[in-house]
Amino acid sequence: IINNNRLIHDVQAQEIRQKNSELKALQAQIDPHFIFNAMDAVNWIALTRDQDDLAEILASIANLMRYSIMEADQLIPLTKELSNIGEYIAIYKLRHQGDIRLSVPSKDASADTLIPKFALQPLVENALDHGLKNSLKKDKKLTVTVKKEEYMTMDFISIWIEDNGCGMEKDAVDQLFSMQTSGYGMKNVNDRLRLLYGDNYMLTIDSEPDRGTTAFVRIPVGGCEL
């Protein structure tokens, strides 16, 4: 009887947890829906008042939000990640007009390659916020380069995110891969790449003070290599 009661209690508890999870999932779908509607309303007001720059940044924020909440556990096409980076850069440029030259490859580059969501975004954000924002150089540049290559009869995608900003010492680079600094996003990217593809596809950072920083990611084409 005691064992039966315990089993019944466990089943009931599991059903309650499942219902709570379903409710949270449904609520999570509703909350962004109302946020998007509110942003659309503000966007419309901005357009009617000829505030095109405000309407543009609202549209970019809405796109970033949609990207962040959809397909959370799935690999996504590289072009989607690049498009999301474009939205982030659009917002950044509105605040720093004429300050930094930014270059992102076209959407045609390696469209069929699947990568982890937000595998590149933290690298771009780190380059902007830590490499370029505090740099005294007049000609500030951030470049994202995507190239399909072949090595040992296997195709892979090489991605470079380069800036000509402040750069950093080796100790600072090492700290980016620890939880002791605000660079936890870099560690997160590196850990996910390593788990998905193996140690040959980890994030690497090459940096030198006053010369800039290059983040390098290699993604195998057509699946994981563990």
Side-chain angles (χ1 to χ4, degrees):
I1 293 174
I2 293 174
N3 288 337
N4 286 340
N5 287 339
R6 184 182 295 115
L7 288 173
I8 292 173
H9 178 270
D10 290 344
V11 170
Q12 291 175 338
Q14 177 63 27
E15 289 177 351
I16 292 173
R17 285 194 294 268
Q18 184 175 349
K19 285 184 178 181
N20 287 337
S21 297
E22 292 175 359
L23 286 171
K24 288 181 179 179
L26 291 171
Q27 186 64 43
Q29 293 175 359
I30 292 296
D31 288 344
H33 174 75
F34 285 106
I35 293 174
F36 293 144
N37 284 346
M39 294 182 70
D40 285 340
V42 177
N43 193 349
W44 180 81
I45 293 173
L47 288 173
T48 58
R49 296 181 180 178
D50 295 327
Q51 295 177 331
D52 294 343
D53 55 346
L54 179 58
E56 182 180 344
I57 196 170
L58 282 168
S60 292
I61 291 173
N63 289 333
L64 283 173
M65 289 179 62
R66 287 189 181 94
Y67 183 78
S68 66
I69 66 175
M70 295 177 181
E71 301 172 329
D73 300 325
Q74 300 179 19
L75 296 177
I76 52 97
L78 173 59
T79 48
K80 281 192 176 182
E81 181 78 358
L82 293 175
S83 178
N84 182 66
I85 288 173
E87 298 289 0
Y88 180 82
I89 287 175
I91 295 172
Y92 191 92
K93 288 178 69 174
L94 285 173
R95 182 181 177 186
H96 303 274
Q97 288 184 353
D99 188 28
I100 297 175
R101 288 197 290 138
L102 305 159
S103 175
V104 178
S106 68
K107 294 183 179 181
D108 296 331
S110 307
D112 56 344
T113 302
L114 298 178
I115 68 171
K117 195 174 185 180
F118 289 117
L120 306 181
Q121 170 81 16
L123 310 182
V124 171
E125 189 172 349
N126 187 77
L128 290 172
D129 290 342
H130 300 289
L132 293 173
K133 187 169 67 174
N134 297 322
S135 174
L136 299 179
K137 293 181 180 179
K138 293 182 179 179
D139 184 25
K140 300 179 183 180
K141 292 183 289 186
L142 171 64
T143 304
V144 180
T145 305
V146 177
K147 185 178 180 181
K148 189 173 183 178
E149 299 181 301
E150 182 178 341
Y151 177 71
M152 298 292 286
T153 69
M154 182 174 180
D155 292 333
F156 58 87
I157 300 297
S158 294
I159 305 170
W160 294 266
I161 297 175
E162 305 171 81
D163 71 73
N164 66 341
C166 299
M168 63 190 98
E169 300 284 355
K170 184 180 183 304
D171 290 345
V173 172
D174 294 338
Q175 289 179 5
L176 288 175
F177 296 99
S178 72
M179 298 297 293
Q180 300 175 358
T181 69
S182 59
Y184 65 89
M186 310 287 274
K187 174 176 171 54
N188 180 285
V189 169
N190 186 59
D191 289 347
R192 285 188 291 142
L193 291 174
R194 180 175 57 81
L195 289 171
L196 278 169
Y197 305 120
D199 292 343
N200 292 328
Y201 295 91
M202 292 191 296
L203 167 66
T204 61
I205 303 291
D206 182 26
S207 187
E208 214 175 314
D210 299 324
R211 290 197 174 183
T213 301
T214 299
F216 175 72
V217 172
R218 178 177 288 168
I219 306 290
V221 175
C224 303
E225 181 183 281
L226 298 175

